[in-house]
Every structure is written in C-alpha cells, then in structure tokens.
Amino acid sequence: MIIPFSKIDRSSRVWIYQSNRKFSDDELTDIKQSLTVFLSDWTAHGAQLQTSFQIKYNRFIIIALNESSNEASGCSIDKCVHFIQEIESKYNVILLDKMNISFKQGEFVTYKSINEFKDLVKNKSVSKNTIVFNNLVLDIDDFIKNWEVPAEKSWHARFFNG
C-alpha cells in the first residue's frame, strides 16, 4: 500500500538511490509509474507493505517503508534491488554504486566519484560548508534532518581532516 511521503511514519526506513544524471521529464513520468506499480505489489512473506516514494532533484529515488506493521524480509529487499537494477538497465543510469558522492554547487547537483570529490577538497573547490547528500540516512526523521547537510556534518567530513 502506497501512502503520500509526507504522511508516512517518520520512523519509516528509507533507501536512497542516487542517479549519475538527471532523469528527463519522460523518464520521470515512466519511473514514477513503475514505482507505483512495484510498491503497490511489494510484499514480505505475502503481507502487504506500507510504502511511499519520492524523486528529488530529478535524480534521487527515495523509497520509504513503514516497518511498524510489516518488516521487509530479505526476499522483499532483494526484489526492490532487482527493481532498481531494471531501472538502471532501462535508462542506462547508475543507481546502486555507493562509491559516488552528490553535492550542490549553487542550484545544481553534481555527481562525482569519491576520488574526484577528494581532489575537489584538496583544490578547495568544495568546502566543509558544501551541501552534500548523505544517502546513509536510516529513516524519514533522519532523512529530514540529515540528508542535505554541510559536508562537515555528515560522513563526508573525513575528507577535510587530512
């Protein structure tokens, strides 16, 4: 069962999949439709899951799951990963590589490898105040408070300590 993202319980678990590029308007329409179909049928051991999703900045797919009624099983999480892999394949994007960093440069979202990000830090092209996307947040509450934060307030801070 899908509910609006703003209405899902704040303790709901989240998964964030960042794309290496922005989705086009047509791709967004299709991806939202595919997410709706997938999440409407997403179950764990036959039990319906309470879910939600949103796409931010035309590149971050955020899936939420309220586990207070039914928890995700290993098989249900695998199904979600396979679904994301299908999106990767269909649109020729990278969504599952966690070794990349997205951050804001003005109004734009930039996507770089960790090594490229380290070089930007070294060259002072990004600073501790650069807004980064902390895709390691655990739940909606954490997402609201800690997803878009200055680099010094996320795991990215380690790149500035050396």
Side-chain angles (χ1 to χ4, degrees):
M1 167 176 55
I2 299 176
I3 62 173
F5 200 84
S6 62
K7 304 273 189 221
I8 197 159
D9 189 273
R10 286 179 65 140
S11 67
S12 296
R13 185 174 177 184
V14 293
W15 291 270
I16 300 172
Y17 303 99
Q18 70 180 358
S19 175
N20 59 313
R21 65 167 176 82
K22 285 177 74 169
F23 296 115
S24 71
D25 290 342
D26 288 341
E27 289 172 333
L28 281 171
T29 299
D30 191 44
I31 290 168
K32 287 176 184 176
Q33 183 178 21
S34 296
L35 276 161
T36 300
V37 169
F38 172 75
L39 293 176
S40 294
D41 293 335
W42 197 23
T43 60
H45 302 293
Q48 187 70 42
L49 298 173
Q50 187 182 66
T51 64
S52 191
F53 76 90
Q54 65 175 322
I55 300 176
K56 299 278 279 186
Y57 300 105
N58 294 351
R59 67 167 60 223
F60 296 93
I61 298 172
I62 299 134
I63 296 175
L65 170 63
N66 182 353
E67 291 189 303
S68 64
S69 54
N70 289 310
E71 291 187 13
S73 64
C75 291
S76 63
I77 292 170
D78 286 348
K79 286 178 188 172
C80 187
V81 170
H82 289 297
F83 170 75
I84 295 297
Q85 287 172 327
E86 289 172 12
I87 292 174
E88 283 184 317
S89 178
K90 183 173 183 178
Y91 299 104
N92 194 28
V93 295
I94 299 168
L95 293 166
L96 292 168
D97 187 345
K98 303 294 185 191
M99 298 305 291
N100 296 299
I101 296 173
S102 291
F103 57 97
K104 285 186 175 178
Q105 288 188 307
E107 294 181 30
F108 299 99
V109 174
T110 302
Y111 176 94
K112 299 286 184 190
S113 71
I114 285 180
N115 289 333
E116 289 172 313
F117 188 80
K118 287 179 186 178
D119 289 341
L120 292 172
V121 169
K122 191 184 310 178
N123 299 332
K124 300 194 186 313
S125 297
V126 296
S127 74
K128 292 179 181 182
N129 296 320
T130 298
I131 300 299
V132 295
F133 296 92
N134 177 10
N135 297 322
L136 301 178
V137 295
L138 301 174
D139 56 33
I140 296 290
D141 192 53
D142 196 19
F143 172 78
I144 291 167
K145 294 175 184 174
N146 299 308
W147 182 55
E148 288 184 58
V149 293
E152 68 182 342
K153 294 186 177 181
S154 79
W155 66 268
H156 304 81
R158 71 177 119 184
F159 300 124
F160 297 93
N161 300 328

